[in-house]
Amino acid sequence: MKRVITYGTFDLLHYGHINLLQRAKSLGDYLIVALSTDEFNWKEKQKKCYFSYEERKRLLEAVRYVDLVIPEESWEQKISDVRAYHIDTFVMGDDWEGKFDFLKEYCEVIYLPRTPEISTTQIKKDLNNINTVGK
């Protein structure tokens, strides 16, 4: 069985996320998603999520491409995750190109093209603009 892992926040789940998960799953038989916890997002990424970790986890677990969701609690856990879950392929969006090449010692590393016209950041900006214009 070929195991694949990807990492992310997956807030405001959208079709760009689904595209990434579908392509990641197509690279193996079993897809693990390491989902950033609320604490990790706030302390390390300075991101405030709209949905809580538990809600984002439930959404990801409902996606047919996802086999297992685990918490991402630190930047440093990637090597231990790859070892513990016997990962064959590590997948991230190409906006992270080169950042995780250190994992090539442990598994294949693939950077997938992002869905260009969609992002959670853009959705939040657009919604904020709608609210600002309406006032």
Side-chain angles (χ1 to χ4, degrees):
M1 179 186 304
K2 190 170 181 185
R3 292 170 171 260
V4 179
I5 194 166
T6 192
Y7 289 73
T9 300
F10 297 95
D11 196 21
L12 303 182
L13 193 65
H14 54 70
Y15 66 89
H17 292 134
I18 300 302
N19 288 343
L20 174 73
L21 295 169
Q22 181 181 25
R23 289 181 291 161
K25 176 67 177 233
S26 75
L27 298 170
D29 305 300
Y30 193 84
L31 177 61
I32 298 171
V33 176
L35 178 63
S36 302
T37 64
D38 297 333
E39 298 77 19
F40 177 63
N41 273 322
W42 185 247
K43 286 196 295 191
E44 298 297 326
K45 299 180 180 180
Q46 288 72 52
K47 278 186 183 178
K48 173 86 171 100
C49 290
Y50 185 82
F51 292 114
S52 72
Y53 173 83
E54 292 77 18
E55 291 164 330
R56 292 179 288 119
K57 184 175 188 275
R58 268 189 56 223
L59 287 168
L60 283 171
E61 288 172 339
V63 176
R64 68 179 176 184
Y65 309 113
V66 176
D67 296 295
L68 178 66
V69 178
I70 63 171
E72 179 187 23
E73 299 172 306
S74 75
W75 293 112
E76 296 77 27
Q77 79 182 63
K78 289 176 179 61
I79 291 172
S80 60
D81 287 347
V82 166
R83 287 179 168 166
Y85 292 98
H86 309 287
I87 299 301
D88 299 292
T89 306
F90 173 93
V91 176
M92 286 297 280
D94 63 2
D95 52 327
W96 291 93
E97 185 89 39
K99 298 277 195 300
F100 300 107
D101 287 354
F102 66 91
L103 291 171
K104 289 181 179 180
E105 178 179 338
Y106 306 95
C107 64
E108 178 181 24
V109 176
I110 296 176
Y111 299 99
L112 295 174
R114 292 176 52 91
T115 304
E117 69 279 2
I118 186 77
S119 76
T120 301
T121 302
Q122 190 60 52
I123 290 171
K124 287 179 177 179
K125 284 180 186 172
D126 291 348
L127 289 172
N128 191 43
N129 288 340
I130 289 170
N131 289 334
T132 304
V133 171
K135 291 184 178 183

